[in-house]
Structures are given as structure tokens and as C-alpha cells.
Amino acid sequence: MKSAKSVNRVCEFLSSRVSASGPVWSIQIGSYSTCPHAANALSAESAMEELSNALPYSAVPGPKPIPILGNAWRLFPVIGHYAISDVAKISYQLYEEYGRIAKLGGLMGRPDLLFVYDADEIEKCYRNEGVTPFRPSMPSLVKYKSVVRKDFFGELPGVVGVHGEQWREFRSRVQKPILQLSTVRRYLAPLEEVTEDFLERCQQLLDENSELPDDFDNEIHKWSLECIGRVALDTRLGCLEPNLAPDSEPQQIIDAAKYALRNVATLELKAPYWRYFPTPLWTRYVNNMNFFVDVCMKYIGAATQRMKSGSRTTNGEPSLLEKVITSEKNEKIATIMALDLILVGIDTISMAVCSILYQLATRPELQHKVHEELVRVLPDPKTPLTIPLLDQMHYLRAFIKEVFRTYSTVIGNGRTLQEDTLICGYRIPKGIQVVFPTIVTGNMEEYVTDAATFRPERWLKPNQGGVEGKLHPFASLPYGYGARMCLGRRFADLEMQILLAKLLRNYKLEFHHEPLKYAVTFMYAPDGPLKFKMLKI
Ligand code: HEM
């Protein structure tokens, strides 16, 4: 029984790791020559009729729950045919066994998970998700924000782990400055500087065979931490310095971020005693989060002081923090925004980079194409990057998109339905958690021509050397879609492009070890030492 409950946590964890996005609520009703409201009413009426004629939810196919254990047993390693460690495989197996829609129910005390593999239906779900889409989220963070530190987070607790009007209000306050192109552009030079320091550190880490160390993923992690410090806290945290003292602030930040990555999974997957009393793991989690809040408060306080004394970070475009502090006149909003960006902006990007580098190192011909493009765009490797230069790196961008399609870093996205919804001909009740498994749909021949082939050219326009073929826009959505779409996507793209451009213009990456398997640890990424050989070109 205890194990069954822990399996139940896997499902909760699973559904909290899938993400989604999606504005565009303007549904195309077709052309009308009379009153548009009449057309709307007609369409609403026919939607109601479709819903009432739909097949019942009970008819959705899926593994049959067995008494007492429900469906939780199916996630047990060995006795079930789905392995906990390979969540991606569960998504594939459900599709293979049941087709375009499958229900995983009987999950003991938690809503069913409904896997949808039909890209047209996924598109409909996103486009109709309403103004406050609900993404099931990390229960430990929800408790931390809404119970443990309610005193601090109050009525506007941020966007991550927050829903409904509170989410909408917060997002509407910070979305514009975060997504504004002028804000993002402003960070090009500072992030380039961070990346140059990172590459210098990589050089120092090379062994006598010019190979990077076993734990190179930790170094990538530090780079992404340093980038997010620059964006969300207006500071250089110092995480890339060699020989950090264990009690130095950067080392403590590195440890706290690593802890967040490794142990939150344990907290949410194992029996959730922490919901009822403070277990040692929970206490450590809370202390860790408090530490992050303190760090954010310290740097936002410093930014406010700088602004009061009239000395800003630069004379040009204000920084993200400066924009938010000025428009909100409220340090707390800026602090909570920074905390949210840090919480989700470190692991996503570092795991994505691990995956992209592994694919580049193991596909030398394609890596060579990226390098050729970079030589064309940057004949002098020392040329500082600019946005127009980055915009010419079409093949590099296509390569990133193709990695996301084939090895979806965030394995999928999800929404808790806010009202009864018609999906694949079934009436799906409000409250069900719908999963959009991009790890599967991005690889379906139905939506992507020659899906099994890794081919960045599919993302290019014909005049850029692109190849024609099917590519359903809702099959591979790395950043989700809509009102809840990834808030940091522009920074993520910028950070990845800067790193790859600087690295591959100057170095060749090789991998001379046993091929690595991909696994879902926290995100979907190669599971093993990334001992790349890094050779100066
Ligand atoms: C390659 C790296 C990244 C990937 C693949 C990624 C993917 C995603 C996805 C799929 C979602 C869910 C969207 C939805 O529910 O529709 C999301 C949400 C979010 N992401 Fe990212 N992300 C990445 C990097 C970042 C970075 C660097 C930041 C911060 C600077 C960030 C900040 C956020 C925030 C704040 C949300 C929550 C948005 C909300 O619920 O309103 N992400 N991300």
C-alpha cells in the first residue's frame, strides 16, 4: 500500500513536470455576412450539442485499474510493464497500446491522467483553454508559497505553482518587461561575457586528452546559474570562479540549486509525509527555499538602492529589474519574479544544453555544418555578437529545434481542464489532468515527415536550404503555447544561441565513449558523464 502511494506521487510528479502554454483564444468561426454575435451563439450552441452527443468519459480506453491498487501498480518496476525511471516510455507505451487518447485512472486520491496524442485535438485544447489556464504544479512549492511563507508571498505569489486570478494578475504585471525584445537584447553583451568566462573555465578543466570532466553537467549548471543571476538579479553571482570556498555565497547558491534539482524529485516521489508533518527532507527544502528568497531580497534591495542613488546598471535600456521596480514601485513583486525565474530557469536550460551538446558531439557532419555557418556569419571569431548576427544563424537555430523535437527536454505539457471538454469525440469532465506528450507527438510520422530522421533542415525555409514536408505546429512545442507559455523563452533562446555560437565557432566537440541513453531524471536528457573532447579549431 505504501509503495502504491509512492507510485501515486510519480504520477503527480509526472503531471507537474509536463507543461504547456497558449494565448490565441480567437477561434476561427468562419466567414459571416450578418451579425457576428449570432454566429458566436450558433457556434456555442453546436458546441453544446456536440458535447451532449459525445461518448462518455468512461469509454476512453486505458489500462484497467485492478481492485485496491487501481492503476498505480502499473508504474511499479518489474511487476508492472511501465518503469518509474522511464516516464518517457510510459507515454510511448500508452500510445502504442491505446492510440490517440488514453486514460490512466485509478490513481488513488488523485485525478486521472488523460494522455492525448492527436495534434489537432491538442491544438483545440490550447486554443480553448480560457484566460486562466491551469498547469498542475509542484505540490511542495505550492505548500511553501501558500502555507509556510504565506506571510511573504501574500495575495500575489508569482506565476510558478499559482493559478486563477492570482496567476493572471501577477503574470500581467511582469510579462511585458520580461518578453519585450528591447529587454532581452539588452542582455546580449552581459550574457556573452558570462559565456566567455565559462569557455575559459572549460579550457582549464580539460584533461591530458583534451576531455572535459565526468561531472561536466555541473559546470553547465553553473553557467546557467550565472546567466540567470545576471538576468533576474542584475548581478554576477561568481559561480564560475575556480576554487570557491565551501561557505562562499556562490558555492552556497550552487549547492542550493543542485539540491533543488536533485531532492525535490525525491520529496515529491516518495510517500508525502511532509504534507502532514515536517520531515527532515521537508525542513531542508524549506531552508533551501528561504535561502533563495533571502538571496533575491538582497540583490533586489541592492538594485533599489542603486536606483535611489541615481546610479543605474547602464545608461541605455533599463534592466529587467529596473523596469519592474519602476513600474510596480514594489520590491516584493520584483523579488518574487526573480525567484520564479530562478526556480524554473536553471535546470530547464542546463539540461537542454546538455542534450544539444551531446547531439552535436555525436553528429560530426551536422556539427560541421553549424561551424561552417558560424564562419560565414563571424569571419573573425573575436567579433562581438549582435542580434542581427544571431538572426543569421539559421542552421544553428534549426539544430536546437530539431533536438527539442526528437528529445523533448520537457517531456510534455499539461492542463487541468477548467470545464467539460470534447476531446477525440469523448466528453472529458472538468478537473481531469490532460497530458500533451510532446516527446511522442514530435516523433509521430503522422505529423512530421520522416520523423525518425534527425534533420534540422525541416525547420528552414526553402531559401535557407530547407526541405519540404509535414510539420504539425502543435506536435513539438518545447515552450508550450498560449497565455501560460514559458515566460523565459526569449532568454532561453538567447542564452543557448550565445553559448553554441561562441563554442562552435572556436572549438570542435567530440564524444569517444559508450553512447548515452536518455532518461527522465528531472528533465529528459542524456544520462551519464558528458566527457566531451573539446578541441580548439
Ligand atoms: C530551454 C529551456 C526551457 C524550456 C524547454 C522551457 C519550457 C517551459 C515550458 C514547457 C513551460 C510551461 C508553459 C505552459 O504551461 O504552457 C515553461 C514555463 C515557464 N518557464 Fe520555461 N523553459 C525553459 C527555460 C526557461 C528560462 C531560462 C526561464 C527563466 C528565465 C523560464 C521561465 C519560465 C516560467 C516563469 C514559466 C511559468 C510560466 C507560467 O506559468 O505563467 N523558462 N517553460
Side-chain angles (χ1 to χ4, degrees):
M1 203 66 181
K2 183 177 143 204
S3 313
K5 277 188 183 155
S6 80
V7 170
N8 216 10
R9 303 276 71 75
V10 173
C11 298
E12 195 159 273
F13 181 72
L14 207 183
S15 65
S16 72
R17 299 299 135 188
V18 296
S19 80
S21 65
V24 195
W25 302 295
S26 52
I27 301 164
Q28 197 68 42
I29 295 162
S31 59
Y32 40 74
S33 53
T34 55
C35 171
H37 302 294
N40 275 336
L42 213 70
S43 139
E45 210 173 279
S46 71
M48 284 304 290
E49 199 181 317
E50 270 185 346
L51 205 54
S52 50
N53 292 334
L55 292 165
Y57 177 63
S58 57
V60 176
K64 292 268 169 297
I66 60 169
I68 306 179
L69 285 182
N71 251 327
W73 69 278
R74 289 181 189 272
L75 296 168
F76 287 136
V78 191
I79 65 157
H81 43 207
Y82 308 127
I84 287 175
S85 59
D86 202 337
V87 168
K89 214 183 268 172
I90 298 174
S91 299
Y92 274 110
Q93 287 182 348
L94 284 175
Y95 172 60
E96 275 157 19
E97 286 176 47
Y98 302 102
R100 63 193 193 122
I101 183 164
K103 169 175 72 180
L104 196 59
L107 294 172
M108 305 207 317
R110 69 174 316 288
D112 295 356
L113 292 181
L114 184 78
F115 288 74
V116 178
Y117 302 91
D118 183 314
D120 294 329
E121 295 288 327
I122 293 172
E123 176 170 4
K124 267 201 289 176
C125 287
Y126 273 132
R127 291 196 189 280
N128 293 309
E129 66 185 1
V131 289
T132 55
F134 188 117
R135 184 181 60 246
S137 50
M138 314 165 204
S140 43
L141 181 64
V142 173
K143 180 167 175 184
Y144 177 76
K145 281 186 169 181
S146 63
V147 180
V148 182
R149 293 299 308 273
K150 192 168 172 30
D151 59 319
F152 178 76
F153 290 93
E155 297 307 310
L156 281 180
V159 289
V160 182
V162 179
H163 300 290
E165 281 308 314
Q166 284 186 329
W167 166 80
R168 186 150 82 131
E169 174 72 24
F170 197 96
R171 179 137 180 163
S172 69
R173 291 194 186 197
V174 299
Q175 169 159 290
K176 192 167 158 217
I178 295 181
L179 290 175
Q180 244 168 5
L181 282 175
S182 59
T183 318
V184 180
R185 283 196 196 115
R186 183 199 177 281
Y187 286 91
L188 174 54
L191 293 173
E192 189 175 10
E193 189 187 292
V194 171
T195 305
E196 275 162 2
D197 291 350
F198 170 70
L199 292 176
E200 210 175 296
R201 180 162 168 78
C202 289
Q203 283 277 30
Q204 290 155 7
L205 291 169
L206 294 177
D207 66 10
E208 63 285 2
N209 297 320
S210 297
E211 284 197 344
L212 288 157
D214 275 11
D215 64 348
F216 181 56
D217 56 330
N218 277 340
E219 299 301 321
I220 296 176
H221 207 65
K222 288 184 202 169
W223 163 80
S224 77
L225 197 47
E226 195 65 21
C227 288
I228 202 75
R230 198 65 189 76
V231 169
L233 301 174
D234 263 0
T235 196
R236 283 294 304 258
L237 293 171
C239 299
L240 296 170
E241 293 297 322
N243 311 319
L244 289 169
D247 58 350
S248 63
E249 187 185 83
Q251 188 58 51
Q252 285 179 341
I253 294 176
I254 294 167
D255 294 343
K258 218 187 297 174
Y259 176 85
L261 173 67
R262 312 260 152 90
N263 291 350
V264 170
T266 318
L267 197 68
E268 295 188 4
L269 288 176
K270 296 250 166 89
Y273 298 123
W274 56 270
R275 288 189 184 203
Y276 313 106
F277 60 91
T279 61
L281 200 62
W282 172 254
T283 307
R284 180 129 193 243
Y285 171 78
V286 170
N287 292 339
N288 202 51
M289 289 299 297
N290 287 343
F291 171 74
F292 272 128
V293 171
D294 290 347
V295 168
C296 291
M297 283 171 68
K298 172 179 155 185
Y299 287 105
I300 274 90
T304 311
Q305 281 312 317
R306 271 199 307 275
M307 288 168 73
K308 277 188 186 150
S309 67
S311 72
R312 291 194 10 231
T313 42
T314 67
N315 292 327
E317 182 78 16
S319 71
L320 173 57
L321 273 191
E322 288 165 350
K323 285 184 181 179
V324 173
I325 293 170
T326 307
S327 68
E328 292 301 322
K329 296 177 184 53
N330 180 346
E331 256 184 45
K332 198 180 263 187
I333 297 278
T335 309
I336 296 173
M337 173 194 75
L339 181 75
D340 273 359
L341 295 182
I342 289 172
L343 288 180
V344 288
I346 304 173
D347 312 328
T348 39
I349 198 150
S350 53
M351 303 292 252
V353 166
C354 288
S355 182
I356 295 165
L357 293 184
Y358 178 70
Q359 291 305 322
L360 282 161
T362 51
R363 299 176 188 276
E365 281 170 25
L366 304 192
Q367 186 186 152
H368 185 63
K369 277 188 162 187
V370 176
H371 175 71
E372 279 181 337
E373 178 180 79
L374 290 171
V375 171
R376 257 196 325 274
V377 178
L378 301 168
D380 176 358
K382 293 203 174 69
T383 313
L385 294 173
T386 61
I387 297 292
L389 287 173
L390 289 178
D391 285 345
Q392 292 172 48
M393 298 173 190
H394 306 295
Y395 192 79
L396 174 63
R397 297 215 279 218
F399 192 97
I400 297 174
K401 287 185 184 162
E402 188 66 348
V403 175
F404 280 146
R405 179 189 73 79
T406 31
Y407 306 93
S408 191
T409 307
V410 176
I411 59 166
N413 208 351
R415 292 288 185 261
T416 300
L417 292 182
Q418 304 294 290
E419 53 189 43
D420 287 11
T421 307
L422 183 73
I423 305 179
C424 297
Y426 297 94
R427 183 183 184 129
I428 312 298
K430 175 181 170 176
I432 296 293
Q433 291 184 2
V434 185
V435 179
F436 310 129
T438 46
I439 183 78
V440 180
T441 51
N443 287 288
M444 281 166 70
E445 193 62 36
E446 209 174 326
Y447 303 124
V448 183
T449 302
D450 203 3
T453 307
F454 187 94
R455 186 183 295 145
E457 288 78 2
R458 68 174 86 247
W459 298 98
L460 296 175
K461 293 186 186 135
N463 65 355
Q464 300 164 341
V467 290
E468 298 270 308
K470 267 182 301 179
L471 196 50
H472 195 297
F474 285 77
S476 168
L477 286 173
Y479 296 121
Y481 177 90
R484 264 209 110 130
M485 190 175 187
C486 176
L487 203 43
R489 63 190 183 275
R490 292 211 163 125
F491 284 108
D493 282 340
L494 183 71
E495 288 175 28
M496 287 186 298
Q497 277 185 54
I498 293 175
L499 173 61
L500 297 173
K502 305 242 37 125
L503 175 69
L504 300 170
R505 174 64 185 85
N506 296 298
Y507 300 90
K508 188 172 168 205
L509 271 194
E510 294 176 0
F511 188 74
H512 299 286
H513 302 276
E514 283 297 301
L516 298 179
K517 288 204 170 105
Y518 270 66
V520 177
T521 44
F522 201 72
M523 308 279 154
Y524 194 56
D527 192 16
L530 295 172
K531 276 178 75 69
F532 300 122
K533 190 173 227 176
M534 187 175 147
L535 301 163
K536 189 107 182 96
I537 302 184

